[in-house]
Amino acid sequence: MPWHFTIDVDWVPGSEVGLEGLLDFCDRRKLKATIFVAGRFAETYADLIRDCRRRGHELGTHGWEHGSLEKDEDFRSASYDQQREWIRLATEAVEKASGIRPVVFRAPSLWVSETTLRALENEGYRYDSSVPARRFDCGFGRVHYLKYFRAPSEPYHLSSYHLSLPGHSSIIEMAPSAFLLPTNMATLRVLGLPVMKWMVRRISRRTSRLVFYCHPYEFVHSHRQSFPRNMSKWNMQGMRPENFSLLDGFVEHMMRQGYSPGLFADSFSKALAS
Ligand SMILES: [Zn+2]
């Protein structure tokens, strides 16, 4: 069974240490990752982004300055022109750093809309991984809207009328996996490996592939990084290098379950051949 190991690189100065650690982790574990990068990070740490590509990872974009803002980039409500501008700037920054034009997108905080789809199509994107299917963060987290709750958990071509419907867009959606809560590093940190294993089991009954994500800042002590004031306290307290061993336990589990890691660009031509 395929799974996608993805990394959301927010624009957080200090978190580059975490990304370096994640690249070494991937080498050790022979994992190829899909790495979504905020444009300003790619601009500032261009050598590191080039290194991601050199090590065989796939690069996408993740907003322009997302991670450093008090009022975050919101792709649910921003105008078409504003969204296109954020995407264009991020695309150029990642292309300049890596030499390859990214075609995979993940919206900051999974805040996405039909307007985003139009902007992505016009910037030449091919894949998106932003729709919060089956996701609703009770109390903590950032997804408190249910508009796309019923979206498919399998890859599908998006509809320009509603992102939770299959349609005729050239862009293929592969939603980050969730069982109310997401299969991500924050859930692993807060609820632990046994709960994550249970979630993976539940999700695998419904879908043939799984998308996991983590952030470089989760592997660096918070006082060594610059966050906006609205970053939540529970999140900051749990940031530490020791999280690599937690992640290692999860990856070990996935391998044992027979999941094999794949990149977006290689995966979906077969899955959607019909
Ligand atoms: Zn992010």
Side-chain angles (χ1 to χ4, degrees):
M1 259 185 303
W3 73 301
H4 300 275
F5 184 84
T6 71
I7 303 172
D8 288 1
V9 183
D10 296 0
W11 169 227
V12 176
S15 71
E16 68 279 4
V17 182
L19 182 55
E20 287 163 6
L22 278 167
L23 293 181
D24 291 342
F25 176 87
C26 286
D27 283 354
R28 273 200 308 279
R29 275 291 180 180
K30 298 189 170 47
L31 274 176
K32 295 290 183 241
T34 301
I35 307 178
F36 299 96
V37 188
R40 286 263 284 156
F41 186 101
E43 193 182 63
T44 309
Y45 303 107
D47 290 350
L48 185 52
I49 297 308
R50 194 172 313 120
D51 200 30
C52 294
R53 191 200 145 196
R54 195 180 55 74
R55 299 200 203 192
H57 303 297
E58 176 176 49
L59 289 165
T61 62
H62 187 49
W64 170 236
E65 292 186 294
H66 159 61
S68 67
L69 305 166
E70 295 285 334
K71 191 176 180 312
D72 208 353
E73 290 162 3
D74 192 340
F75 285 76
R76 294 171 303 182
S77 57
S79 70
Y80 171 82
D81 289 342
Q82 176 65 83
Q83 296 197 29
R84 182 105 192 244
E85 179 72 355
W86 287 331
I87 293 168
R88 190 182 61 76
L89 287 168
T91 305
E92 280 173 6
V94 171
E95 183 174 14
K96 197 167 169 222
S98 69
I100 286 194
R101 190 171 174 85
V103 294
V104 200
F105 178 78
R106 176 168 290 149
S109 309
L110 308 187
W111 294 344
V112 69
S113 66
E114 288 71 25
T115 308
T116 317
L117 177 62
R118 209 150 46 88
L120 290 172
E121 285 172 343
N122 292 331
E123 287 294 330
Y125 274 69
R126 300 196 49 209
Y127 308 98
D128 177 75
S129 183
S130 310
V131 173
R134 304 283 153 181
R135 168 101 183 247
F136 189 74
D137 303 346
C138 329
F140 71 111
R142 311 201 85 183
V143 175
H144 300 109
Y145 71 113
L146 286 162
K147 188 176 175 192
Y148 303 128
F149 188 81
R150 293 182 177 282
S153 305
E154 296 283 344
Y156 63 105
H157 284 277
L158 288 160
S159 160
S160 54
Y161 298 106
H162 201 288
L163 298 186
S164 62
L165 299 174
H168 300 291
S169 172
S170 55
I171 294 186
I172 295 170
E173 175 66 29
M174 182 61 228
S177 303
F179 190 83
L180 284 183
L181 292 174
T183 52
N184 68 5
M185 194 65 209
T187 303
L188 183 58
R189 286 193 282 133
V190 174
L191 299 179
L193 187 55
V195 174
M196 278 288 278
K197 286 181 179 174
W198 179 83
M199 284 171 66
V200 168
R201 207 158 54 236
R202 292 303 299 256
I203 292 166
S204 67
R205 286 182 197 165
R206 204 177 55 221
T207 173
S208 61
R209 56 179 70 224
L210 194 133
V211 179
F212 170 86
Y213 68 92
C214 59
H215 301 86
Y217 64 65
E218 295 179 278
F219 302 92
V220 183
H221 289 294
S222 61
H223 65 265
R224 297 183 183 276
Q225 310 182 74
S226 323
F227 290 104
R229 267 174 307 152
N230 57 354
M231 176 51 108
S232 60
K233 290 282 169 288
W234 69 262
N235 202 345
M236 286 173 74
Q237 278 165 7
M239 296 172 186
R240 52 176 74 96
E242 291 79 1
N243 289 334
F244 278 115
S245 59
L246 204 53
L247 183 61
D248 199 50
F250 176 68
V251 171
E252 175 71 30
H253 174 72
M254 294 300 282
M255 301 297 197
R256 281 207 190 136
Q257 295 294 306
Y259 279 95
S260 60
L263 301 178
F264 279 63
D266 308 329
S267 296
F268 299 124
S269 43
K270 268 175 263 153
L272 290 168
S274 55

